[in-house]
Amino acid sequence: MATLIGTMILAIGLPAWAGITYVGLVRARRGDELPPLAPPRRRRTPARKAAWVAGLAYLAGGAVHLYGLSYLPFLFPEDACWFGVGIKAYPDSSSALPVSLVCHGIEVVPWWVNPGLLVLAVTAVTATVTSAVLAWRGASRGVS
C-alpha cells in the first residue's frame, strides 16, 4: 500500500508541483502582468465565406468525379465488368461525363455519382460568382 501511495505521489504530485513552481518562476521573472492579448482577427466577409464554399465544392466535386472514374475501363476493359458486375465481357458503353459504365445492360457506377456531381458543380459555380460579386461590391464601397 505504501508503494502504491508513493507511486501516486511520484506520478501525479511531482509533475504538478514542478508545473506550479515553473509558472511561479516565470511570473516572478516577468512580473504579475497578464500576457499580451492576441491581435484581433480580420472579420470574415460574405465574399470570403462564399469563396470557401466554392473551394470546398470544387474539392468535393473532384473527389466524387475521381471516384466515379475509378469504375471506368482504362487498361483492361473486360476487367471493369468483371469487378463491377461479375461478368467477364467487354463493356457495352462507358462515358466520363456523365460517369457511366454499362455491362450487359447493367449500370455499374453508383446511382448517386452523377447527381452528386451536378449538385457540387452548381454549388461551386454559384459560390464562385457570388464571391466575385460580393468582393466587387465591397471594393466599390470601400469596405475591406
Side-chain angles (χ1 to χ4, degrees), residues 25-94:
L25 288 173
V26 168
R27 275 201 171 162
R29 187 177 309 142
R30 196 175 59 187
D32 259 349
E33 73 272 359
L34 292 173
L37 295 175
R41 288 185 357 177
R42 284 181 37 197
R43 199 176 126 256
R44 285 206 181 116
T45 62
R48 184 174 291 209
K49 290 177 188 175
W52 271 101
V53 169
L56 291 174
Y58 281 119
L59 186 67
V64 169
H65 196 248
L66 281 176
Y67 176 75
L69 290 179
S70 70
Y71 283 91
L72 296 187
F74 290 107
L75 192 55
F76 301 106
E78 65 275 0
D79 288 344
C81 288
W82 175 255
F83 290 120
V85 183
I87 301 168
K88 186 78 169 175
Y90 196 79
D92 298 340
S93 68
S94 67

